[in-house]
Amino acid sequence: MANTEMDKETQKLLHATALNINVLLSHVHKFEGLDEKPQEFSESKFKETIKTLATAIDKEVTYLIIACKPPARSSDVESLCPKINAGFFSLVQQTERIPKSAGRTYLHAVRKATCQSLIAAIGLINSFIDDKVEMEQLIVSDMLFMPRSGVFWEHCKALSQVPADNRTAVALEWTSSVGNLVKDAMTELGESLDSAKEAIAAHGDDEFSEDSMDEFDSDIPADRIDKGRKIEKQLQAAKHTCDKVALRCIRDCEQLDEERVVWLDGLLEQGKHIARTVDDLAATLFMDDESWSKCAELESEKLRRLMAELVTLAITFVDDSHLAWFELCRKQLGETQKVPAEVVR
């Protein structure tokens, strides 16, 4: 809610500050990384710099909030706005020093944290002025921003906790976007199949017609249980393989040269395709359409192919001590074609 006791000049100053931050937001949101790596850039130095900036910005914005509360202290606002502008400018300037070679996942994580902090700051300033600064809706939606009390401090905290490097960024993203999703899909399917089996057992002594099957309180029809168990085994294999990739390829990747940075991003991208396909495959068992069996076969083959591609990619840089397992896994998945040139060890 705007502060009706604040004079017009102070509101104009706050509006101008929000406008400046909005320009920075539009600029950094489009940033895709530098083609050439700055000689002095390192992820560890960057993390420390961002943490220091986030702490300083947090302090100045806190002072601004106090100054804007009734009765508003115009002189304090006037002295704080340039500091806040300078702080956010430095933040964006540092973010835009990240080279593409640092890794796509790492760059996305930092850029998202930066954008969310800028969005939160604009929203906070807007709460004190009548003439609100409109942010580009596409950017706000892309950042999945939800206005709420205390959000600015949350995003300042997020800025100080940006991933240390692309390996860390990929590991975090893999857990939420691949590992947990595949595990949940496997667990939920197993529970649904167990429930369907229990429903049949509960009616095992009853005489019923085929039509009476509709009375069962089970999501998966009885005639699909056998097929469902086969799908469950495929999902278990997918989970086991994804866990191996997370552990032996991502976590154990100690060397982060440009080739391995790209490799890690590729593993994550492939893992996300697998997570979506796992969901789609499990969903075929719940289809009302008679074509469910055909759809299940198509999704099953798609998952097999994606898993083979993931394992083939994993072989590129996985440590020799784990190479035999991945080679065997690839053989079991039926990947007999020659390994593409871009993933030759």
Side-chain angles (χ1 to χ4, degrees):
M1 187 175 181
N3 181 3
T4 54
E5 295 185 20
M6 188 178 292
D7 64 71
K8 290 183 179 180
E9 289 304 313
T10 303
Q11 288 219 20
K12 283 182 181 179
L13 182 57
L14 287 170
H15 179 81
T17 300
L19 278 177
N20 288 336
I21 298 172
N22 196 34
V23 170
L24 293 172
L25 172 64
S26 299
H27 198 268
V28 76
H29 182 257
K30 299 173 185 174
F31 181 64
E32 296 293 339
L34 298 176
D35 292 328
E36 297 292 331
K37 181 178 180 179
Q39 190 173 1
E40 70 281 7
F41 179 84
S42 75
E43 286 87 345
S44 58
K45 288 181 181 178
F46 175 82
K47 186 175 175 68
E48 285 303 312
T49 301
I50 289 296
K51 186 175 181 179
T52 301
L53 277 172
T55 301
I57 293 170
D58 185 5
K59 183 178 72 172
E60 300 299 343
V61 171
T62 300
Y63 290 156
L64 181 68
I65 292 170
I66 295 170
C68 287
K69 287 183 177 180
R73 298 196 295 273
S74 300
S75 60
D76 289 349
V77 172
E78 187 176 347
S79 66
L80 287 166
C81 283
K83 296 178 183 178
I84 291 170
N85 280 328
F88 281 118
F89 179 81
S90 296
L91 174 64
V92 171
Q93 191 177 46
Q94 288 297 321
T95 300
E96 294 189 346
R97 292 178 63 252
I98 300 175
K100 290 178 181 177
S101 60
R104 185 173 62 245
T105 309
Y106 173 75
L107 174 60
H108 173 76
V110 176
R111 185 178 59 204
K112 183 176 180 179
T114 302
C115 286
Q116 287 183 329
S117 180
L118 295 170
I119 291 170
I122 295 169
L124 192 59
I125 294 173
N126 274 343
S127 68
F128 292 110
I129 58 179
D130 298 318
D131 185 13
K132 316 292 185 188
V133 170
E134 292 293 329
M135 292 175 274
E136 189 177 337
Q137 194 56 44
L138 178 63
I139 298 177
V140 178
S141 300
D142 187 38
M143 292 297 107
L144 302 175
F145 176 74
M146 294 290 288
R148 60 190 185 276
S149 177
V151 72
F152 178 77
W153 290 278
E154 291 179 25
H155 290 311
C156 265
K157 183 179 179 181
L159 273 172
S160 66
Q161 296 174 343
V162 294
D165 49 38
N166 198 52
R167 185 195 64 80
T168 308
V170 168
L172 290 169
E173 185 74 10
W174 181 279
T175 299
S176 60
S177 300
V178 182
N180 288 346
L181 296 184
V182 173
K183 179 183 176 182
D184 290 346
M186 181 197 73
T187 302
E188 289 169 10
L189 177 58
E191 291 173 351
S192 294
L193 289 168
D194 290 342
S195 177
K197 185 178 179 181
E198 290 170 4
I200 293 171
H203 292 76
D205 297 330
D206 297 341
E207 292 185 5
F208 49 83
S209 66
E210 196 172 305
D211 294 337
S212 69
M213 292 291 290
D214 294 336
E215 298 174 6
F216 284 7
D217 185 20
S218 173
D219 290 330
I220 299 178
D223 61 348
R224 301 184 189 182
I225 291 180
D226 288 343
K227 180 67 174 177
R229 290 302 182 190
K230 291 180 181 179
I231 291 175
E232 183 184 20
K233 286 183 179 179
Q234 190 175 7
L235 265 56
Q236 289 170 346
K239 177 188 177 297
H240 184 56
T241 304
C242 285
D243 288 347
K244 276 281 189 179
V245 170
L247 185 64
R248 300 308 179 192
C249 298
I250 299 173
R251 192 202 69 175
D252 291 353
C253 181
E254 296 180 355
Q255 186 179 347
L256 276 181
D257 53 29
E258 289 191 25
E259 289 181 330
R260 284 174 174 78
V261 164
V262 173
W263 175 61
L264 289 170
D265 282 332
L267 290 173
L268 177 59
E269 194 65 28
Q270 189 69 12
K272 288 181 178 179
H273 290 318
I274 288 169
R276 286 192 290 268
T277 304
V278 160
D279 267 343
D280 291 341
L281 175 56
T284 60
L285 293 168
F286 301 87
M287 291 173 60
D288 292 331
D289 198 304
E290 288 299 321
S291 65
W292 73 271
S293 183
K294 180 64 175 176
C295 290
E297 291 296 334
L298 291 173
E299 293 297 337
S300 177
E301 172 56 24
K302 181 180 178 182
L303 179 58
R304 185 208 63 78
R305 176 176 55 79
L306 289 171
M307 292 301 301
E309 291 172 359
L310 175 66
V311 171
T312 299
L313 183 58
I315 287 171
T316 315
F317 290 118
V318 72
D319 189 81
D320 287 346
S321 60
H322 305 293
L323 180 59
W325 187 92
F326 283 96
E327 288 283 14
L328 177 61
C329 183
R330 183 172 62 163
K331 184 178 179 180
Q332 291 173 338
L333 287 165
E335 181 70 5
T336 57
Q337 297 93 333
K338 185 179 178 181
V339 179
E342 65 268 24
V343 293
V344 168
R345 288 175 63 83

